[in-house]
Amino acid sequence: MGGYENGDSPAAAAGEGGVILGVDGGTTNTVCVCLPVAMPPPESPGAVPVLSRAVAGCSNRNSVGESAALETLEQVMAQALTLANTDRSAVRAVCLAVSGVNHPSDQQRMLDWIRDLFPGHIKFYVENDAVAALASGTMGKLHGCVLIAGTGSIAYGVTEDGKVARAAGAGPVLGDWGSGYGIAAQALTAVVKAYDGRGPHTNLTREILRKLELSSPDELIGWTYADPSWARIAALVPVVVSSAEDGDEVANKILHDSVQELADSVVAVVRRLKLCGEDGMDQFPLVLVGGVLEGNKQWNISGEVVRCISKVFPGVHPIRPEVEPAVGAALLAWNHHRKGLKLENGS
């Protein structure tokens, strides 16, 4: 990625027209990047001049509560500005793309909050974190579908004329079964069932107990409910993948079922928006984001998901972004700001 290391005299660049903030707020962590307003349209991901980058904890209000989520967002934006040697007065636009923003009322509540933090001339855009993930694969342009499978999961699509649709993303209680949390929760359940005699033997028992330094499946109950945070549970996904790669049938079934869940979510969005065209054959971009979709030795989850989707829509064009979602959010805000200036100038 082009640009500056944190603190490397970005103030001059920031001073030429101000800065843009892009925030990707997830269940595992929250990232904020700062871009200069006065930059040419980036011709490649490596040409994006990032002035600074800051990281904080979870900002999903459904996971940690609203006050903690807002505190994290304020903290990470302030840190990014400090690292860029600038302050709130230099900000021209902000895109907050945060998991847990699922309804216009969520957007309005967050807009009301952020307007109290910054000067009145700033433009704000509040979206679900899926929007930033999509923009990271399309360099700030909103068209196509994104599949996020990290701690949580969601499929989100946008047409060229602005219609949107989503599937999944409803959290663990309502069944994000292709997510990291969903995969790990099924593995923990399988271990308990095997221990009870209600399910088949699985090597997940040995591997999960070893990973957690526990001596018996009985102890899983206490471990799970001592801190049932979504990210803590989802951190067990690599154990499930390695067990599947070693041939464990239970682990393999969990992953196969999860692949189908993720593919079904994308198919539902693409079909609803007709991203594939009337005949289902048109090409469309599918941006793939999240730790669950990263490559493994043998079990290529993202590859399996794309293979399932391509059986229905052969025009699917998978994209693995070269910039992170926070940069996508910043590019989205930058594009909006640039269009606004053009309209003001009559060009």
Side-chain angles (χ1 to χ4, degrees):
M1 187 181 301
Y4 307 80
E5 295 296 327
N6 287 342
D8 277 1
S9 65
E16 297 175 8
V19 297
I20 302 288
L21 294 180
V23 179
D24 170 42
T27 305
T28 303
N29 58 35
T30 301
V31 179
C32 179
V33 300
C34 183
L35 303 183
V37 169
M39 68 176 189
E43 296 181 359
S44 68
V48 180
V50 175
L51 300 176
S52 65
R53 179 181 187 272
V55 184
C58 173
S59 57
N60 184 326
R61 66 187 184 89
N62 297 327
S63 179
V64 297
E66 186 158 1
S67 61
L70 295 179
E71 183 178 341
T72 296
L73 290 169
E74 183 173 2
Q75 170 194 338
V76 80
M77 288 188 290
Q79 186 181 0
L81 289 170
T82 298
L83 290 170
N85 295 334
T86 188
D87 57 32
R88 296 179 187 185
S89 65
V91 177
R92 298 295 177 264
V94 180
C95 178
L96 290 178
V98 184
S99 62
V101 174
N102 300 313
H103 189 269
S105 63
D106 300 329
Q107 291 177 305
Q108 190 58 53
R109 187 160 55 247
M110 195 159 283
L111 282 169
D112 292 342
W113 167 77
I114 195 172
R115 282 174 180 143
D116 289 337
L117 295 181
F118 288 91
H121 63 273
I122 298 176
K123 300 293 184 183
F124 301 107
Y125 310 94
V126 175
E127 305 284 357
N128 185 274
D129 62 332
V131 174
L134 176 59
S136 72
T138 59
M139 294 299 288
K141 299 177 179 66
L142 290 184
H143 170 249
C145 185
V146 62
L147 174 64
I148 301 177
T151 299
S153 66
I154 187 173
Y156 186 95
V158 184
T159 63
E160 290 182 336
D161 59 356
K163 295 185 179 69
V164 301
R166 56 177 284 170
V173 175
L174 298 177
D176 278 351
W177 295 123
S179 69
Y181 180 95
I183 291 170
Q186 289 179 79
L188 289 169
T189 301
V191 170
V192 171
K193 281 187 171 184
Y195 185 66
D196 288 348
R198 295 181 291 128
H201 169 79
T202 171
N203 290 333
L204 285 168
T205 300
R206 181 185 67 244
E207 297 304 321
I208 287 177
L209 292 180
R210 179 185 297 167
K211 173 71 175 178
L212 301 180
E213 300 181 347
L214 303 176
S215 58
S216 167
D218 279 338
E219 298 177 59
L220 281 176
I221 299 172
W223 179 87
T224 299
Y225 294 108
D227 177 10
S229 67
W230 304 346
R232 179 172 175 260
I233 302 296
L236 292 173
V237 167
V239 178
V240 184
V241 173
S242 62
S243 295
E245 291 178 339
D246 289 339
D248 186 81
E249 291 184 9
V250 173
N252 270 288
K253 185 178 187 308
I254 290 171
L255 294 186
H256 279 296
D257 290 348
S258 298
V259 163
Q260 194 61 57
E261 288 281 350
L262 294 171
D264 288 347
S265 296
V266 172
V267 167
V269 168
V270 172
R271 184 171 284 143
R272 206 178 313 159
L273 294 177
K274 297 183 179 177
L275 291 172
C276 52
E278 293 293 338
D279 62 359
M281 303 299 288
D282 286 3
Q283 190 175 86
F284 63 91
L286 173 64
V287 180
L288 300 164
V289 175
V292 170
L293 298 174
E294 292 174 359
N296 299 293
K297 289 183 295 183
Q298 300 168 24
W299 237 109
N300 183 354
I301 294 176
S302 63
E304 289 298 310
V305 170
V306 172
R307 187 177 64 82
C308 287
I309 295 167
S310 65
K311 291 179 181 178
V312 184
F313 301 125
V316 60
H317 174 60
I319 297 172
R320 288 168 178 80
E322 296 181 44
V323 299
E324 63 183 333
V327 174
L331 288 172
L332 186 60
W334 181 80
N335 281 334
H336 279 306
H337 180 73
R338 191 161 167 258
K339 287 176 184 174
L341 289 179
K342 285 184 175 181
L343 289 174
E344 289 175 12
N345 296 330
S347 58

